[in-house]
Amino acid sequence: MSFITLDSVAAATPDGRPLFENLNLTLGAERIGLVGRNGAGKSTLLALIAGVRAPRSGTIARTGSIGVLEQIPDLSSATRLADLLGVGAAWDRLSRIERGEGDDADLSDADWTLPARLDQALADVGLAGMAAERPAASLSGGQATRAGLARLLIAAPDVLLLDEPTNNLDADAREVVARLLSRWRGGAVVVSHDRALLRGMDRIVELSSLGARSYGGGYDLYAERRALEADAARRDLDHAEREVRRVTREAQVARERKERRDAAGRRFADRGGTPKILLGAMAERAENSGAKEGRLAEKLAAQAQAARAAAEARVERARALGFELPSSGLPGARTVLALEDAAFAWPGGAPMIDGVSWRICGPERVALAGPNGAGKTTLIRLITGDLVPTRGAVRLGAPFALLDQRATLLRDEESILENFRRLNPAASVNDAHTALARFLFRNTAAHQAAGTLSGGERLRAALACVLCGAIPPQLLILDEPTNHLDLASITAIETALSAYDGALLVVSHDEDFLTAIGVERRIALKKRDAEKDVA
């Protein structure tokens, strides 16, 4: 049974820029992972399916109910967990009946199954035992996201629409999302760059300007097929280039042969004795034959050039994001970072970091692990000097750079070039252009405003700004760098970082990313007793 059918659907941005066209997609009781470059229109497609936006053209048929995992709004003090779950009125009705205050309408409309369904939904998302009357504003971000999932379980729609459901969640919360989807028996469309989550999908749909392309199976099969397609594209390009050379060579041979025939004809005419009418006919035949050969050569050359251009475009899409990081010059034995019995607490508060001692030597790759609220961000702020330890010491032995998930060192209103020169004042315009070209911001691309960049472009620009200065950092501190990147950008960043010769200190819940960049050691932080609520 099909719940959603899209027929020849096209969409555009509010300013009229086309996103995709001729998109055909049918969704039944299956889980679809929706992937594609940032800006391809994935969130727009979810809005079209949900009916909150209309397509530019084409039709969308819906035969089932749809549930959307919505962003949690700013919550007032009067909002309770029951309200967040979408059952506030039904819960109040049961409460009135329980107190003996219910009227006939309450008795008639009461949903006696609600308490059991609510308890089961909360248990399924790791919030077992949480009171329905609890103020929603008291929930952590992770708890609020889990409550949003519980709301969908209670509503039990035919189709779930989830847009980056694991962003900013720790490993335990990510597992809750994956478990919910693994048990889901309806339809689901999941926009995500979380490869662990995408592995549980029934198929992957890749969105591009040309529409949607479907790959059966989860992420690993999709990645394997995309790699095979990239190899085929490179082979096609090699063949197309050989064909261009062959056609060019044969056209040159044909021109030289025609020139020899023309020269022989002129010599024959110069000897005299041949009637002019016969010479004219011979010249006309030669001219027609030459023109025909010329047109054929031009047609073959055009076809060969078009085939090469198409093959180049396919290969370019696969390699467009590839770049290399410059050398940091880090000596192998240098102590890059040392924490000695470091602790931190706000005045009058319990310690958030307590008795931390470890060091990074040479080009080590270290991950800070732990649930949300364990103090990873606080520890980074101690390392960067934004906070001062209340006990112990933090010692940096090498230049460092911090890149958070938003690359906040870049000013949105400035161009990439202007950001680079602000952060590297000794660099000339030519130096800046040369450095940015290395990170694929060539010529006019360097003049894009930072605020217009995609997540992957922004991180790439930030890397260029911090790594190509007069003193390149020998320690890169990365705080959830993949949260707002598409899969292609994540792969490019992974490839670059895996070849980086400096030290890395990384906060990330993306296990695939940590494995790809070669993390050698994990330092686990535990949540403090005062914060042991589920994240």
Side-chain angles (χ1 to χ4, degrees):
M1 176 183 177
S2 295
F3 297 126
I4 310 289
T5 302
L6 293 88
D7 184 12
S8 304
V9 169
T13 61
D15 61 3
R17 178 178 65 85
L19 288 171
F20 50 80
E21 59 184 14
N22 196 35
L23 189 151
N24 298 288
L25 183 65
T26 299
L27 171 63
E30 59 180 332
R31 294 155 297 183
I32 292 178
L34 184 61
V35 302
R37 295 280 177 87
N38 285 343
K42 302 184 293 294
S43 295
T44 297
L45 180 55
L46 289 192
L48 294 177
I49 294 173
V52 299
R53 283 190 59 174
R56 192 174 196 176
S57 61
T59 60
I60 302 175
R62 306 173 187 84
T63 59
S65 58
I66 295 174
V68 179
L69 180 60
E70 300 174 346
Q71 296 296 318
I72 303 301
D74 291 333
L75 301 172
S76 71
S77 59
T79 305
R80 305 160 301 168
L81 176 61
D83 302 314
L84 201 57
L85 297 174
V87 296
W91 183 263
D92 290 341
R93 183 177 298 115
L94 291 178
S95 297
R96 287 194 299 272
I97 294 172
E98 188 175 288
R99 295 193 304 268
E101 300 172 359
D103 55 22
D104 291 342
D106 287 332
L107 292 170
S108 173
D109 297 337
D111 180 359
W112 302 105
T113 68
L114 178 60
R117 291 190 295 114
L118 189 150
D119 288 345
Q120 184 61 56
L122 290 175
D124 286 344
V125 300
L127 299 178
M130 190 170 284
E133 295 288 343
R134 175 171 174 162
S138 70
L139 302 179
S140 69
Q143 289 172 328
T145 298
R146 293 179 187 229
L149 293 170
R151 177 178 183 139
L152 292 177
L153 291 175
I154 293 169
D158 295 307
V159 178
L160 296 180
L161 302 181
L162 310 181
D163 193 352
E164 296 290 2
T166 60
N167 257 12
N168 302 309
L169 297 184
D170 59 24
D172 289 342
R174 286 175 177 232
E175 178 58 31
V176 168
V177 177
R179 190 166 59 246
L180 182 152
L181 284 169
S182 70
R183 298 173 178 173
W184 191 253
R185 293 298 172 258
V189 182
V190 184
V191 173
S192 182
H193 63 260
D194 183 337
R195 287 161 288 190
L197 186 65
L198 292 173
R199 287 190 180 97
M201 299 296 104
D202 298 309
R203 60 175 165 137
I204 303 295
V205 172
E206 184 180 77
L207 189 63
S208 72
S209 59
L210 301 179
R213 186 167 185 183
S214 184
Y215 297 81
Y219 174 78
D220 290 332
L221 283 174
Y222 160 75
E224 180 182 338
R225 289 184 60 185
R226 292 290 281 118
L228 291 174
E229 289 174 358
D231 289 340
R234 285 189 286 270
R235 289 195 300 271
D236 289 347
L237 178 57
D238 290 341
H239 174 77
E241 289 176 337
R242 289 196 301 271
E243 188 67 9
V244 167
R245 291 193 294 270
R246 183 188 69 79
V247 170
T248 302
R249 189 168 53 249
E250 291 182 355
Q252 179 63 29
V253 169
R255 283 193 298 271
E256 293 173 353
R257 187 167 55 241
K258 181 178 183 302
E259 289 172 359
R260 289 195 296 271
R261 287 200 306 266
D262 290 346
R266 287 193 296 271
R267 289 193 298 272
F268 179 78
D270 290 343
R271 289 201 297 266
T274 304
K276 289 184 177 181
I277 190 171
L278 181 57
L279 289 174
M282 292 171 62
E284 184 178 358
R285 283 198 301 273
E287 184 177 344
N288 290 339
S289 176
K292 183 178 180 180
E293 290 178 352
R295 288 193 298 272
L296 178 59
E298 290 175 0
K299 180 180 179 181
L300 292 175
Q303 290 175 342
Q305 293 287 358
R308 181 173 68 177
E312 283 178 340
R314 289 173 60 200
V315 171
E316 184 63 22
R317 281 195 295 272
R319 70 186 179 197
L321 295 176
F323 61 98
E324 296 180 357
L325 303 185
S327 174
S328 70
L330 174 63
R334 174 173 293 175
T335 297
V336 175
L337 172 66
L339 288 89
E340 301 167 359
D341 194 33
F344 178 80
W346 295 107
M352 300 182 69
I353 299 292
D354 195 10
V356 174
S357 297
W358 46 265
R359 63 183 56 212
I360 297 176
C361 296
E364 279 193 279
R365 292 153 188 265
V366 178
L368 285 180
N372 290 343
K376 298 186 294 294
T377 299
T378 300
L379 187 55
I380 286 178
R381 294 180 68 187
L382 287 174
I383 292 169
T384 60
D386 189 37
L387 295 176
V388 177
T390 50
R391 189 186 74 241
V394 176
R395 307 186 193 281
L396 279 162
F400 74 92
L402 168 65
L403 293 178
D404 57 26
Q405 57 188 283
R406 294 288 186 182
T408 50
L409 61 87
L410 300 179
R411 294 177 180 171
D412 288 349
E413 69 278 8
E414 293 180 350
S415 69
I416 304 171
L417 183 66
E418 290 167 340
N419 272 291
F420 186 95
R421 298 200 68 202
R422 173 176 54 80
L423 295 166
N424 301 283
S428 67
V429 173
N430 186 61
D431 291 338
H433 271 293
T434 300
L436 292 173
R438 183 172 187 172
F439 285 75
L440 306 183
F441 296 108
R442 301 183 178 97
N443 302 320
T444 58
H447 296 283
Q448 299 175 81
T452 67
L453 301 177
S454 69
E457 291 169 335
R458 191 176 180 92
L459 183 57
R460 188 157 29 101
L463 284 168
C465 289
V466 301
L467 290 173
C468 294
I471 304 177
Q474 295 176 335
L475 168 64
L476 278 180
I477 303 173
L478 305 174
D479 188 2
E480 295 289 1
T482 64
N483 262 5
H484 301 284
L485 305 188
D486 56 39
L487 288 170
S489 297
I490 291 174
T491 300
I493 296 296
E494 287 173 345
T495 302
L497 290 175
S498 66
Y500 177 57
D501 65 357
L504 294 175
L505 178 61
V506 187
V507 174
S508 177
H509 296 297
D510 186 339
E511 287 295 325
D512 287 273
F513 175 74
L514 296 176
T515 299
I517 65 174
V519 163
E520 305 156 337
R521 181 158 57 108
R522 294 169 189 254
I523 296 172
L525 301 180
K526 295 181 179 180
K527 209 165 198 181
R528 306 305 299 167
D529 289 345
E531 299 177 345
K532 281 187 176 177
D533 282 340
V534 179

